Amino acid sequence: TVWSLEAGVRYVGYQYLEKANEHRLPDFGSVEMGGAVRLFDRLSAVLRVDNLLDRDYSDTGFFVDLNSLGLGTQERFSPGPGRSFTVSLTAD
């Protein structure tokens, strides 16, 4: 039986939602882990976990201009995915 394990940290710096650079999307980081095992001579299994710590973050967004209503501009951030799992089996 052959095992392998991997871990990684992903960091994305802040970005702006529009060209005028007035609406900033915060930076974020996440931890990822994965492992693989050869089960039999020709069969392998892989498990991968993204956002292992289940951090809340936004990886995209937009803003709504409500100035005509006297409400200013409102930012809308789209939440990034929470903890997710991927499992795969491979037959050689």
Side-chain angles (χ1 to χ4, degrees), residues 17-18 20 22-23 61-76:
L17 296 177
E18 85 302 350
E22 295 175 359
H23 302 274
F62 60 96
F63 65 96
V64 179
D65 185 357
L66 300 173
N67 285 320
S68 62
L69 302 174
L71 299 174
T73 303
Q74 296 181 359
E75 298 169 335
R76 303 281 193 230

Side-chain angles (χ1 to χ4, degrees), residues 5-79:
L5 183 64
E6 66 178 52
V9 176
R10 181 171 66 123
Y11 172 77
V12 177
Y14 70 85
Q15 352 178 24
Y16 289 97
L17 296 177
E18 85 302 350
K19 291 181 182 180
N21 292 343
E22 295 175 359
H23 302 274
R24 189 167 128 171
L25 187 65
D27 60 340
F28 67 91
S30 67
V31 176
E32 301 155 354
M33 289 195 75
V37 61
R38 179 160 300 274
L39 299 171
F40 302 103
D41 187 40
R42 300 184 59 161
L43 185 65
S44 298
V46 176
L47 170 65
R48 180 166 182 81
V49 183
D50 292 316
N51 195 4
L52 179 68
L53 303 176
D54 203 22
R55 299 282 181 154
D56 292 330
Y57 67 92
S58 295
D59 57 0
T60 188
F62 60 96
F63 65 96
V64 179
D65 185 357
L66 300 173
N67 285 320
S68 62
L69 302 174
L71 299 174
T73 303
Q74 296 181 359
E75 298 169 335
R76 303 281 193 230
F77 297 135
S78 300

Side-chain angles (χ1 to χ4, degrees), residues 73-92:
T73 303
Q74 296 181 359
E75 298 169 335
R76 303 281 193 230
F77 297 135
S78 300
R83 183 181 301 121
S84 61
F85 299 88
T86 303
V87 177
S88 63
L89 293 174
T90 304
D92 298 332

